[in-house]
């Protein structure tokens, strides 16, 4: 473990220098890694591991996603199987169904978890909320997680570009005495940049907060609020969209990603810097209570309950699609589609 100073706090992280791909391949040399589910994380992780030289198979029920797996080069009967067969063949079972679907498949997975096998998650959800999910792994299997901090789509894209996402890892149960090393090897295998250690509870709590907060929920809320104010004051959709979203994603966020917030500020006008330095605090003060409310709702397991109940309904996909369509069909995001189509690289 390398000791890295994160803003004054020292943490131990695993880097690819100290745990190279070669070592990960050695650790997992005798394992058959069965990726169960081929939604978003499934493709990203399985393809990266395959390209990294691991012994990977995919388990996916027949349908559109099965066909996608075939199109991605997984071969039926060789590296692509029905879920039950993949569970049988795998020694490390990567449980990459949606968190709600994991509940339904758990009895089947549990039956396949013979002593000595490992159970791998990319989220702390299933076992942390075991009273709600019923996911209680047998005592004689290793249980660990690697949670890439980003979409499986980006995990794959960055890997192909020779880059990586950071991931957290955690051990829930160490039956073999080797669970932690296996977890790290899997983290390297799926294409992580560096790995930071956590536990299942902290992983799920921070993840649910982040995606509801700044990563997805808060950002849409703030975009919509500013866009509405601009529109109500006579600004055109294109002007409002450009000042709310397009400039952020195309110009300013890449600067933040490159070198931090002060670097982005420093590359804007002194007029903009003066205003931003004055206004970030009122925005902070206005939103902090909402973030506190959100964190408490995660902590009380209310968010887990909502997620399980809503995503277990037979028509949950159709309902999600209606809500996504509401976003897509809003004036702001329709304006966004028009703005994107006019980017020089698209025309
Ligand atoms: N989406 C992402 O990029 C991220 C997901 N995660 C975690 O990774 C895990 C997998 O999530 P996603 O890839 O988003 O899953 P997903 O929602 O894309 O679903 C994965 C697969 O589950 C299958 N499935 C759904 N219901 C099923 C059922 N009843 N029986 C059999 N198969 C069924 C679907 O065919 C699909 O292939 C979750 O624990 C999630 O929290 C973690 C980081 C990011
Ligand atoms: C992409 C990711 O890490 C999320 C937002 O937490 C998720 O998809 O669950
Ligand atoms: Mg996440
Ligand atoms: Mg998440």
């Amino acid at each position: 473990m390398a000791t890295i100073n994160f803003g004054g706090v020292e943490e131990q992280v695993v880097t690819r220098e100290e745990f190279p791909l070669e070592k990960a391949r050695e650790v997992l040399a005798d394992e058959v890694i069965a990726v169960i589910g081929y939604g978003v994380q499934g493709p990203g992780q399985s393809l990266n591991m395959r390209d990294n030289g691991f012994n990977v198979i995919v388990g996916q029920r027949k349908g559109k996603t099965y066909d996608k797996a075939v199109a991605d080069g997984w071969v039926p009967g060789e590296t692509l199987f029905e879920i039950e067969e993949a569970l049988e063949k795998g020694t490390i079972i990567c449980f990459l169904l949606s968190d709600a679907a994991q509940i339904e498949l758990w009895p089947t997975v549990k039956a396949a978890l013979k002593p000595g096998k490992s159970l791998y998650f990319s989220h702390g959800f299933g076992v942390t909320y075991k009273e709600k999910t019923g996911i209680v792994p047998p005592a004689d299997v290793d249980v660990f997680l690697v949670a890439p901090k980003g979409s499986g789509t980006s995990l794959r894209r960055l890997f192909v570009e020779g880059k990586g996402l950071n991931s957290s890892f955690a051990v829930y149960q160490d039956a073999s005495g080797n669970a932690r090393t296996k977890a790290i090897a899997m983290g390297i295998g799926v294409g992580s940049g560096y790995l930071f250690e956590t536990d299942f509870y902290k992983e799920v709590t921070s993840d649910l907060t982040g995606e509801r907060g700044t990563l997805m929920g808060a950002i849409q809320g703030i975009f919509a609020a500013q866009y509405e104010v601009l529109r109500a004051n006579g600004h055109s959709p294109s002007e409002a969209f450009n000042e709310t979203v397009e400039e952020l994603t195309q110009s300013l966020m890449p600067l933040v990603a490159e070198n931090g917030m002060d670097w982005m500020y420093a590359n804007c006008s002194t007029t903009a810097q003066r205003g931003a330095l004055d206004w970030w605090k009122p925005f902070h003060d206005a939103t902090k209570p909402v973030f506190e409310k959100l964190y408490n709702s995660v902590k009380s397991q209310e968010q887990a309950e909502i997620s399980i109940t809503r995503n277990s309904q037979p028509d949950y996909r159709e309902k999600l699609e209606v809500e996504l369509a509401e976003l897509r069909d809003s004036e702001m995001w329709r304006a966004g589609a028009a703005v994107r189509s006019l980017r020089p690289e698209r025309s």
Side-chain angles (χ1 to χ4, degrees), residues 21-70:
L21 187 54
E22 267 314 306
K23 187 170 165 188
R25 283 203 204 104
E26 263 167 47
V27 170
L28 302 177
D30 298 329
E31 308 279 358
V32 177
I33 303 166
V35 172
I36 307 300
Y38 207 73
V40 183
Q41 280 298 317
Q45 296 193 23
S46 61
L47 292 170
N48 289 359
M49 285 193 284
R50 184 177 76 183
D51 289 354
N52 271 335
F54 292 79
N55 187 8
V56 188
I57 60 173
V58 170
Q60 170 64 36
R61 61 183 178 183
K62 291 260 167 61
K64 248 198 345 229
T65 15
Y66 185 95
D67 300 342
K68 179 178 185 287
V70 173

Side-chain angles (χ1 to χ4, degrees), residues 71-87:
D72 286 348
W74 301 101
V75 182
E78 278 178 36
T79 52
L80 175 61
F81 302 93
E82 286 286 348
I83 289 179
E84 286 73 11
E85 206 176 343
L87 286 169

Side-chain angles (χ1 to χ4, degrees), residues 246 250 339-347:
E246 190 72 355
Q250 299 307 295
V339 170
R340 289 194 296 279
S341 74
L342 294 172
R343 286 183 197 153
E345 72 272 20
R346 295 207 183 182
S347 48

